[in-house]
Amino acid sequence: MPAVALVALAAPAFVPSLARVAQLEVSRAALHAGLRAAVATVPGVLAAAATGRPELVWAALGGWLTSLADAGGAFRTRARAIAAFLAAAPVLTVVGGLVAGQRLLAVALVAAVAAGGGLLRAAGDVGATLGVLLASVFSAALAMPATRAQAVAHAVWLLAGGTWAAALALVVWPVRPYGPARQAAADVVRALAALARALRDAAADGGVPDAGTPDAVAARFADLVRTRHAPV
């Protein structure tokens, strides 16, 4: 029996299970990502309140926006998105703080940053997210006029909070929503291979494979998935 036919016959046995696993893990991942963003953000707010230094709120902003810059996907994609945000956001913080009192220049730069952020959509969802986040940073900086020293301090605190969030996202608390679903899919492929071997061996022995009907193939396949591999 061709492998394609086996897949078609056995699909009803595993597709609903994979869908449930994926949906469940994505929901869990959203919860974990939200909690992780809170852990990245709250320390800056608490520090600002405890010390009476409002500039520390920039650490909270950096932690929060860096958490949002982690759009998911492969580790390399996530790391690049976070690195791009952490490279550009401090620069925009300094520039925004310095030009905050110059209305015409501020308006022109807001338009430029917004246009540049819009063009990042060409890079896909990750680029679109970065464009929004960078425009948000620049807008926040414009709301807080600063001297050169203050603007640099704001950028440093933003970078510190963002670095903390990056460490959480990439090292300490990575969220892998599709890990269990990938494992389940791998178990399905292994079970399908085992079923194909059983049918081949039966045919080689001159017997008639005991899985000649679609229902028999699907039932045997489901049994292999349940018994030969650890549950997700």
Side-chain angles (χ1 to χ4, degrees), residues 152-192:
V152 171
H154 295 169
V156 169
W157 285 118
L158 178 84
L159 184 60
T163 301
W164 163 238
L168 285 175
L170 299 176
V171 180
V172 179
W173 194 349
V175 176
R176 301 184 178 92
Y178 299 109
R182 285 196 297 268
Q183 183 59 50
D187 288 345
V188 164
V189 173
R190 294 189 188 99
L192 180 60

Side-chain angles (χ1 to χ4, degrees), residues 58 88-100 137-138 141 146-148 150-156 158:
W58 282 95
V91 176
L92 293 176
T93 300
V94 173
V95 174
L98 293 178
V99 305
V137 168
F138 190 67
T147 64
R148 181 177 300 178
Q150 290 172 334
V152 171
H154 295 169
V156 169
L158 178 84

Side-chain angles (χ1 to χ4, degrees), residues 2 4 13 27 49 60 68 78 89 138 143 158 165 173-174 178 193 206 209 218 232:
V4 173
S27 299
L68 297 180
R78 298 167 55 227
F138 190 67
L158 178 84
W173 194 349
Y178 299 109
V232 176

Side-chain angles (χ1 to χ4, degrees), residues 73-225:
F75 179 87
R76 179 179 297 181
T77 300
R78 298 167 55 227
R80 285 179 175 176
I82 291 174
F85 175 77
L86 292 179
V91 176
L92 293 176
T93 300
V94 173
V95 174
L98 293 178
V99 305
Q102 306 175 46
R103 294 183 179 179
L104 293 179
L105 181 57
V107 169
L109 289 178
V110 165
V113 170
L119 291 175
L120 286 176
R121 291 178 62 86
D125 291 340
V126 173
T129 299
L130 283 176
V132 171
L133 297 179
L134 293 176
S136 299
V137 168
F138 190 67
S139 299
L142 287 176
M144 298 181 66
T147 64
R148 181 177 300 178
Q150 290 172 334
V152 171
H154 295 169
V156 169
W157 285 118
L158 178 84
L159 184 60
T163 301
W164 163 238
L168 285 175
L170 299 176
V171 180
V172 179
W173 194 349
V175 176
R176 301 184 178 92
Y178 299 109
R182 285 196 297 268
Q183 183 59 50
D187 288 345
V188 164
V189 173
R190 294 189 188 99
L192 180 60
L195 178 60
R197 284 194 296 271
L199 295 175
R200 178 201 62 192
D201 294 342
D205 292 339
V208 177
D210 186 21
T213 66
D215 289 343
V217 172
R220 174 60 175 155
F221 185 80
D223 182 63
L224 285 169
V225 173

Side-chain angles (χ1 to χ4, degrees), residues 22 24 63 70 181 211:
L24 177 61
D70 179 11

